[in-house]
Structure formats: structure tokens, C-alpha cells
Amino acid sequence: MKEFLFIYRREANADQGVQWSPERIQALMKPWQDWLGSLAAQNKLIDRGNRLDGDGTVVKPNNVVTNGPYVEMKEAVGGYSIVKAKDLKEASELAKGCPIITVGGSVEVRTILEM
Amino acid sequence: MADELLPHLFRTEYRKIVSVLGKKFGFDQLEIAEDIVSDTFFAAASTWGLKGTVPANPTAWLYNVAKNKAINYLEHNQVFDHKIAPELKRQSNEDAEFEIDLSPKNINDSQLQMMFAICHPSIPVESQIGLSLRILCGFGIDEIADAFLADKEAINKRLFRAKQKLREEKVNISLPGAAELDDRLQTVLRTIYLFFNEGYYSVSQNKTLRKDVCFEAIRLCYMLAQNISTNKPDVNALLSLMCFHASRFDARLDEKGEQILYEEQDTNRWDSDLVLRGEYFLNMSASGTKLSKYHVEAMIAYWHTNREDTAEKWENILSLYNQLLFIEYSPVAALNRTYAVSKVHGKEKALVEAKKLELTDNHFYFALLGELYSGLDNNEAKNNFGKAMEMAKTASDKNTIRKKIEKLR
């Protein structure tokens, strides 16, 4: 078994102007919980990881700090998890049910190399 | 009268005296402590039986006799002078060597300290359970053998090796310090939890014994909740969980000790008093920042005290099983989660999930597949139930599955 990083991406600023309510957050969280629960039930989930806030900076050479990572990117990273799988193929298979895909986002699947 | 009283006193007093003497003597001479207490009860049986009367205060009588025997031993034993005395002198400069303190407070403290010493990570968990049953609960070797479905010889050996190991490791009979307490408490809780399960899911046909084992586990956990330094949220959560489960004890077994499935249980036989206690301890557990698996399992058990199937109930149970799996994977949790999926999202969706589990060495996996196929594809259901029945280890499990197959016809 190897470990893989799932990086969740979706369109930057997709949430702009959305009115958040507890019900809405609940409705958004549920499919995530069910999907991650399914991975956990298969004993494939190492770390649920975290969601990332939209705010951020990019620090570049010569002390250049820009606001937000999205200036040059259409998609922004919204979160990550760590799973285990036999190989990259199986890991990709696991990523297919991810709720981010149903809202037009994507999952980048990367093999974690052991030090 | 002595005939009825003595077994009862043995159950309630043996463990107290043995803990106090054991604490005094240390693991080096735990057997002697056990022998002294056994002798005390033997003396009670012969004296009371011979005279045909029981002393006015039988417990005080037992304490007195045990105390005298212990002091006698301490005074006459050579080992005492060389090994224990210097140790005791260091602890107190009084003439306390021969003091055997059987006050309620010391009894309680000694039992708690003994619990931590026995549930020591250096010995395997089944030995921890065995020693707990013997020392902390006063169970006989016969009863322990019956509960584990093992022969007496094997149990004796297991307990002997465990005590030897505790001696080698020089385990102190004391509460761990604050820095260590949380870690050690986790081991104690895990042992109590498995101890309870040993009674609840035991393969033994002896229903009374199984129930006793369960209630002893609850009692030990309650002792932790009664002590300020060990009254932690997860202790209350485990207590709550065990109360909820125990509330169904009578309803889930028939006269022959065979299992009655949850859906078929007579809810009138659920113990509402224990349900209330479960709710009380669940409330008590709701503090701190850590959500332990006992919290999650207690909440699942809480939802099961409500037999009516509502959407709210199963959505909550599914979400709790997800959380439980996030804390710690276990095949049982994975299977139960999938059952909850079927209740929330339907059997087709659950089947897809079930097939991903690949728990093909677990008969409950095939029982679940059988359950999910029932009504969708009865042939497949029968096939899977058949496999489950073949793999099931106990007659009771096989019977439960056979009934499922018969219903499909």
C-alpha cells in the first residue's frame, strides 16, 4: 500500500456572492462526509485533511507578496486528504466519487514518496 | 442462612479485601493475599456453618479475620523483614507495618489502584481481563474458564504468567501520575470495554454469568467515574455506552441463550432504568474538546434506544458511523455503516458500498450482503447467507442466519 495526496480544486471565486446559512453548509458537507466515510469504511483513508480558506497570499522571490493564489489560475485549491491504495490506478478510482467533481471541480491525485 | 449469604459476601467482599491486601503486599506476594482471603472465606463457611449462626456483622467478621491472618503472616514471614519492611519503613516512620486498613476509603482507593496495575500495557489484554475478573470481581477460575470457553488449566496458566510479568516489570499498585494518567486510563477503558463485550457477545451459553460479566464491567467503570482524578468525559461516555447496551440484555437473548435480533426484540423487555442512566452519563460525557470513540458509539447506541425507524434516526446513525471510522477503522464499524447506508440511501446504493469492503474472511460481511440482496435478488441473498452460515463459528450465529434464509422462501 502506498499513500496518495488528493488535492481538491474548483473554479476560483465560485462561492462569491453566495449567502451562507447553516442549512446550506450542512447540505454541502453531507456528501463529503458520506464519501470520506465510504473511503474510511474501506480502510483507505489515512487523513481526512482539511478545507482551505479562500484567502491566501503567494510569496515570491525578492519579497514579492501577492494576494491570493488565483491571479494566474482558473482553479483554486480548496482542500486536501491523504488516502492509501495499491497503486495510482486504484487511488484514481477512489477519487472518482468525490463530491467536488459534481460541482465542476477536480481531484489531483499524487503519489506521496517516502523519505 | 450462611448458605445464601456467603456466596453473596464473596462476590461483594472478596475483591475489596484482596485489593487492600494485594496493595499492601505488592505483586510479589499477590498469591499470598489471594490465599489469605480464600482462607478467610473458608473459615467463615466452616465456623458459621458449624455454629449454625451468622455473626451480627458478617462483613466486619470477615475483615477482622482477614486482617488477623494478614498481620500474622506479615509478623511471621521472613521475607517481610528483608524485603517489605525496609520499603514500608521508607513510606512511613510509624508502626504502620502491621496496619491493615479496611476502611471504605482505602478499600476504594486500593481497588482503583489495583485496576490500573492489572490493566497494564505490559500484559496482553485477555490476561488483563482474566486478572480483572479474578482480582477485581472475585470470579472463580471455573467461571472465568466458562466465560472465555477455555479450560481451567489454560486460564490458570494465563493468570500465572500475567502475574509473573507484572512482577518482572515491577508494576506498582498505585494510580499513575498526572502526566501518565490519560494514557494509562485509555488502556483501562479499552480493557473494560472488551471485558464488557466478552460478556455481551460471549459464546458461553451461561446467560447469568454473561450478564454478571457485563455488570461487573459497568461497576468498574463507575468506580472510575466516582473518583475525581479519573472522572473524565470518555469514562462517562463508555459508561453510557455500556448502560445502553445492557438495557437490551434481557430482550436480546431467548431462554436458550440464543440471540434475538434487534428488530424482533420485545421492547417491553428493554430496561428503561438503564436507558435513563445511559442518557445521564451521555450528558455527563459532553465536556472537554476530545470526541472519543466511546462518545460516538454511545450516541449510536442512544439512537438505537428508539426503535421506530425515522429518516432522522438513520441519517444520524450513518453520520456517526462515518465519524467512528474517521477515529478508528474496524470491520464491524464498516459493516454497520453500510447497513446504515441502506437505511438512508436504499439497498442498491448500499450494495455498491458493501462490495468495496472486501471483508471476505468475515461471516458478517456475507450476512450483510444477504441482507442487502433480500428483496432485490433472493437467489443471491440465499447464496450469501449460505456462505455466512458456513463460516459462522457458533451454533447461535448459524441459527440466526438459518432463520433469515427460511424467511426468503
Side-chain angles (χ1 to χ4, degrees):
Chain A
M1 285 279 171
K2 281 190 206 162
E3 295 189 6
F4 297 86
L5 181 68
F6 282 2
I7 304 162
Y8 310 121
R9 294 180 194 278
R10 58 176 305 195
E11 195 188 319
N13 308 320
D15 295 336
Q16 246 175 20
V18 173
Q19 294 288 315
W20 292 105
S21 64
E23 291 77 23
R24 204 186 167 107
I25 292 171
Q26 180 71 18
L28 263 173
M29 295 295 290
K30 232 171 141 15
W32 279 95
Q33 215 211 25
D34 277 357
W35 177 64
L36 288 169
S38 168
L39 294 183
Q42 299 168 57
N43 202 12
K44 299 269 166 71
L45 189 68
I46 303 263
D47 185 345
R48 265 184 300 167
N50 279 300
R51 289 184 337 125
L52 301 178
D53 190 53
D55 263 351
T57 62
V58 180
V59 181
K60 294 177 180 171
N62 304 320
N63 290 333
V64 176
V65 178
T66 58
N67 272 339
Y70 342 104
V71 186
E72 298 127 47
M73 271 187 269
K74 207 171 130 275
E75 283 189 321
V77 176
Y80 65 91
S81 305
I82 298 171
V83 303
K84 62 177 170 185
K86 206 165 71 240
D87 49 31
L88 188 60
K89 189 165 169 264
E90 193 196 55
S92 310
E93 208 53 45
L94 291 176
K96 280 184 182 169
C98 178
I100 200 112
I101 294 169
T102 56
V103 294
S106 67
V107 184
E108 184 175 329
V109 183
R110 301 286 294 270
T111 311
I112 295 174
L113 292 175
E114 274 180 51
M115 297 292 270
Chain B
M1 188 178 162
D3 290 357
E4 291 164 32
L5 187 64
L6 258 179
H8 169 74
L9 284 174
F10 189 86
R11 200 29 72 77
T12 57
E13 304 306 323
Y14 176 91
R15 58 172 190 251
K16 296 181 186 167
I17 310 175
V18 112
S19 293
V20 168
L21 297 188
K23 157 84 182 152
K24 185 90 178 172
F25 290 12
F27 277 119
D28 271 343
Q29 300 184 76
L30 185 62
E31 273 95 356
I32 292 166
E34 289 179 82
D35 285 347
I36 288 177
V37 187
S38 296
D39 282 353
T40 302
F41 277 91
F42 184 73
S46 41
T47 318
W48 303 357
L50 219 66
K51 289 189 185 158
T53 55
V54 169
N57 188 341
T59 309
W61 189 97
L62 289 170
Y63 285 5
N64 243 331
V65 171
K67 199 186 281 188
N68 289 334
K69 281 181 189 292
I71 291 171
N72 253 340
Y73 168 77
L74 287 175
E75 280 175 345
H76 290 105
N77 198 283
Q78 292 253 319
V79 181
F80 174 77
D81 297 329
H82 303 305
K83 283 195 179 162
I84 304 182
E87 180 69 20
L88 286 177
K89 290 230 171 72
R90 230 180 300 137
Q91 285 170 6
S92 65
N93 39 23
E94 300 290 310
D95 260 338
E97 296 102 286
F98 304 137
E99 189 76 39
I100 302 290
D101 178 4
L102 281 158
S103 65
K105 183 178 183 311
N106 194 45
I107 284 175
N108 213 31
D109 289 351
S110 302
Q111 288 189 97
L112 212 58
Q113 291 161 355
M114 191 59 95
M115 199 188 307
F116 273 88
I118 287 174
C119 298
H120 193 267
S122 69
I123 58 172
V125 72
E126 57 274 18
S127 301
Q128 296 177 21
I129 297 175
L131 271 186
S132 298
L133 284 167
R134 181 78 196 117
I135 310 279
L136 298 172
C137 309
F139 277 50
I141 298 294
D142 294 16
E143 291 171 304
I144 301 173
D146 193 1
F148 279 115
L149 269 203
D151 62 278
K152 275 173 70 175
E153 195 53 33
I155 296 294
N156 263 325
K157 265 191 204 150
R158 185 190 294 176
L159 298 192
F160 179 78
R161 270 198 299 266
K163 284 185 241 179
Q164 204 171 24
K165 181 78 182 162
L166 292 173
R167 267 192 285 273
E168 283 165 19
E169 296 281 326
K170 299 196 166 41
V171 171
N172 272 328
I173 302 173
S174 61
L175 280 193
E180 241 194 311
L181 187 72
D182 238 25
D183 260 8
R184 292 287 306 281
L185 185 60
Q186 289 314 310
T187 314
V188 175
L189 290 183
R190 180 164 143 263
T191 303
I192 293 178
Y193 182 52
L194 292 172
F195 180 152
F196 180 87
N197 285 346
E198 194 62 47
Y200 205 70
Y201 301 106
S202 171
V203 275
S204 164
Q205 294 292 308
N206 187 338
K207 191 174 155 186
T208 320
L209 174 67
R210 293 176 55 178
K211 198 171 174 178
D212 280 351
V213 171
C214 287
F215 282 98
E216 283 299 317
I218 293 178
R219 186 181 63 77
L220 294 179
C221 198
Y222 186 66
M223 280 177 58
L224 293 171
Q226 291 296 95
N227 185 290
I228 289 175
S229 56
T230 51
N231 184 20
K232 302 277 162 118
D234 42 3
V235 170
N236 286 280
L238 176 57
L239 204 42
S240 162
L241 164 64
M242 293 192 293
C243 287
F244 284 137
H245 280 315
S247 74
R248 290 194 285 278
F249 199 96
D250 286 326
R252 64 190 275 282
L253 296 175
D254 65 15
E255 316 78 56
K256 283 177 278 173
E258 273 185 25
Q259 206 191 327
I260 301 174
L261 293 176
Y262 175 77
E263 301 82 40
E264 287 154 18
Q265 288 168 11
D266 176 1
T267 47
N268 289 321
R269 300 189 66 202
W270 288 359
D271 187 329
S272 54
D273 187 41
L274 277 170
V275 172
L276 284 177
R277 280 171 206 236
E279 288 173 4
Y280 171 79
F281 291 118
L282 188 57
N283 282 329
M284 297 303 287
S285 77
S287 67
T289 51
K290 199 184 113 205
L291 189 73
S292 69
K293 67 170 184 169
Y294 306 119
H295 284 95
V296 180
E297 287 192 45
M299 284 189 274
I300 292 169
Y302 163 77
W303 280 104
H304 280 297
T305 59
N306 211 330
R307 179 125 108 212
E308 207 189 330
D309 271 357
T310 61
E312 190 200 7
K313 169 180 166 179
W314 284 104
E315 271 169 26
N316 273 291
I317 291 177
L318 174 57
S319 161
L320 287 163
Y321 272 119
N322 285 334
Q323 286 181 57
L324 185 60
L325 285 158
F326 294 151
I327 296 172
E328 186 182 279
Y329 170 81
S330 75
V332 186
L335 292 168
N336 283 329
R337 175 194 179 267
T338 311
Y339 184 73
V341 170
S342 82
K343 289 287 191 179
V344 176
H345 300 295
K347 286 184 169 179
E348 283 94 345
K349 178 114 194 271
L351 260 177
V352 177
E353 289 286 290
K355 286 175 184 164
K356 291 181 193 164
L357 301 182
E358 293 175 354
L359 294 167
T360 47
D361 52 357
N362 187 323
H363 86 265
F364 291 111
Y365 174 66
F366 292 103
L368 174 70
L369 284 178
E371 193 72 50
L372 296 178
Y373 272 120
S374 301
L376 292 178
D377 182 342
N378 282 354
N379 268 331
E380 270 300 309
K382 269 182 220 165
N383 283 342
N384 281 292
F385 278 136
K387 265 187 222 164
M389 198 162 77
E390 226 170 82
M391 291 168 75
K393 285 185 193 75
T394 67
S396 172
D397 279 349
K398 283 184 198 288
N399 253 334
T400 309
I401 301 165
R402 186 173 300 119
K403 281 181 207 149
K404 292 266 182 193
I405 299 177
E406 276 159 15
K407 268 195 194 151
L408 286 171
R409 297 226 165 94

